[in-house]
Amino acid sequence: VFVVLVFSTLFVGAAKGGNAGTLEWVSMGVQTFGNGSNWDEGHHPCENDVALFPESLENTTEKIVIEVNAFFELGRIELEGTNVFLSFEDNGRIYFNNAGDDTQNVEDIPCLAPANFSVVDVGSAQLEVTFIDLPDEVNLTMTMNGRSVSVGDGSAPVAIDASEEQLPITFIAYLTMKEFRISESTLIVNDVSSPQEARHVYWNITQNGFYGDGGNWDTGEFPCSNDDVIITKESAGVIELMDTFELGRLILDGSNTVFSFEDGGVLEFVDLESFDAVNAPEEVVDLCLSAGNVTITEIAFETLELEVLNLPDNATFTVEHPLGVETSSIGAALLTFAYSPDDLPIDIVVTVQTGEHRTSELVVEYSEPPTYTTFTSTSTSTSTS
């Protein structure tokens, strides 16, 4: 059955309450009503939605045929001077949800919304895709920059290697349901972390110590990601692990060092990990803790302000300096402390901590000559010379 729509402006049906959206038809030629790629929102109209066939479609000489080959429910149809054919195939119907037709329970007509998903950069050019509240009985597929990528059934996060991709990276998720229903959703990633080169990280002490204390390693950071962990023959004592840590390789170079795995202590070799839609972790935990970058600024007479850049939300840090030790509150990136210009240059030790024996350490030399040379107690500002 063909229905030819040639009206100047036509409204069919009227929404009966609820939140109605307007979905605009965007395709030419012969297409299906239920394919979300033919609509500007990526899914077919349903429930209270308005199906709009815009006036711009009239400017083409190409015949527009819309095949209705399943049951659909919507609020109303708006036609703006278009010339469109609706072709009702076998079992094809459109119900207006205020029409009062008891022959079909409109609540039984599926409404296939676009897939809701997120893409998180978890480091080393690895992108984790997580789907949220997928409907039942749908088939899920995804493309990344136009090529198919495996995401399983969407029930668990999936890690995808993006190291060879050109930026920006476009992810499109497609949901398909029986009865000719398709929806699509798009997410564009504009930046991706670079693949991390493996470092050689050396145990730096000759006595007992905790694996997660950054000061025990020559980099000031405990090993993570694909780092090569090297324990030399000069090392001795016990290395205690109280948490989960990642590494690429463990190299024991004639060492008598003993690893002690306390309750919760785990070493994960990244090359042995397998990520898929079934076995991917429910929550991605960043197992690295960079010593990071700091800035130091003189803000008043014999007073310095130190800022830790990109400090993790759950981290604190301490600053050891010639006049004492200061500790930040959780998540606070700034600390202010006193110093004496007579001590310049001074070494400042910054230790970032996210858990017990999970720290990184950085030593910064400060040698800038003082700008503030006097202090006036009756003024809230200092004078400069």
Side-chain angles (χ1 to χ4, degrees):
V1 177
F2 281 89
V3 177
V4 184
L5 308 177
V6 293
F7 302 91
S8 174
T9 300
L10 174 65
F11 299 91
V12 181
K16 60 170 184 179
N19 295 322
T22 298
L23 279 70
E24 184 174 319
W25 184 266
V26 294
S27 296
M28 303 294 176
V30 180
Q31 307 290 345
T32 58
F33 188 93
N35 189 339
S37 63
N38 297 323
W39 300 92
D40 65 340
E41 294 293 330
H43 65 96
H44 64 76
C46 57
E47 298 179 350
N48 293 317
D49 289 336
V50 177
L52 172 63
F53 299 92
E55 187 175 0
S56 58
L57 297 178
E58 191 179 29
N59 298 326
T60 179
T61 59
E62 185 177 3
K63 184 178 181 180
I64 300 173
V65 178
I66 302 172
E67 296 180 346
V68 182
N69 40 28
F71 286 9
F72 296 94
E73 172 199 9
L74 48 83
R76 69 173 185 263
I77 294 175
E78 292 187 7
L79 310 168
E80 298 179 347
T82 66
N83 188 3
V84 175
F85 292 81
L86 283 180
S87 175
F88 289 83
E89 308 296 321
D90 291 341
N91 206 36
R93 299 182 186 179
I94 293 179
Y95 288 87
F96 298 102
N97 63 11
N98 66 332
D101 187 348
D102 295 330
T103 60
Q104 170 71 24
N105 182 358
V106 294
E107 294 180 358
D108 296 335
I109 298 177
C111 178
L112 186 58
N116 184 13
F117 69 96
S118 64
V119 177
V120 177
D121 186 344
V122 295
S124 298
Q126 299 298 302
L127 300 179
E128 185 188 71
V129 179
T130 303
F131 290 90
I132 304 167
D133 297 331
L134 286 179
D136 297 330
E137 299 180 355
V138 296
N139 180 53
L140 169 65
T141 58
M142 172 169 274
T143 62
M144 179 175 66
N145 280 353
R147 67 176 180 87
S148 178
V149 291
S150 175
V151 290
D153 62 2
S155 61
V158 179
I160 298 176
D161 182 11
S163 58
E164 302 297 326
E165 298 300 318
Q166 296 291 323
L167 295 175
I169 300 175
T170 299
F171 287 89
I172 303 179
Y174 300 90
L175 297 182
T176 305
M177 184 180 287
K178 62 181 180 179
E179 299 178 327
F180 307 98
R181 300 176 197 276
I182 303 172
S183 71
E184 67 177 53
S185 50
T186 301
L187 192 151
I188 298 176
V189 177
N190 292 306
D191 192 19
V192 176
S193 60
S194 300
Q196 182 171 324
E197 296 293 332
R199 302 179 300 174
H200 288 183
V201 183
Y202 290 82
W203 183 252
N204 204 35
I205 62 174
T206 57
Q207 67 269 12
N208 297 351
F210 289 94
Y211 188 98
D213 285 345
N216 294 335
W217 301 92
D218 67 326
T219 59
E221 304 169 4
F222 57 78
C224 70
S225 188
N226 59 342
D227 288 340
D228 290 340
V229 176
I230 302 176
I231 312 296
T232 66
K233 60 184 177 181
E234 288 79 15
S235 302
V238 178
I239 301 177
E240 296 187 50
L241 289 99
M242 301 178 61
D243 205 344
T244 299
F245 300 91
E246 284 184 338
L247 70 158
R249 294 186 301 171
L250 177 59
I251 301 172
L252 302 174
D253 185 12
S255 172
N256 293 320
T257 302
V258 175
F259 282 83
S260 175
F261 291 85
E262 307 298 327
D263 185 23
V266 176
L267 279 180
E268 293 184 353
F269 292 86
V270 294
D271 289 342
L272 302 181
E273 292 186 74
S274 176
F275 292 93
D276 56 49
V278 176
N279 298 315
E282 294 183 1
E283 180 180 2
V284 172
V285 178
D286 188 357
L287 297 179
C288 297
L289 180 60
S290 171
N293 296 315
V294 302
T295 61
I296 303 175
T297 308
E298 184 188 18
I299 61 170
F301 177 69
E302 296 188 353
T303 304
L304 298 179
E305 181 180 75
L306 184 144
E307 179 179 8
V308 178
L309 306 179
N310 301 318
L311 184 73
D313 292 339
N314 63 333
T316 61
F317 69 94
T318 60
V319 175
E320 298 180 47
H321 54 91
L323 299 184
V325 178
E326 318 291 338
T327 302
S328 74
S329 57
I330 294 178
L334 297 172
L335 267 182
T336 300
F337 57 94
Y339 84 107
S340 172
D342 295 337
D343 293 334
L344 293 175
I346 58 175
D347 285 337
I348 300 172
V349 181
V350 182
T351 303
V352 178
Q353 180 171 354
T354 57
E356 185 179 9
H357 298 295
R358 199 175 189 95
T359 65
S360 68
E361 186 176 292
L362 180 68
V363 179
V364 183
E365 181 184 276
Y366 183 78
S367 59
E368 296 294 325
T371 301
Y372 294 84
T373 57
T374 60
F375 175 75
T376 304
S377 61
T378 58
S379 173
T380 57
S381 62
T382 57
S383 62
T384 61
S385 61

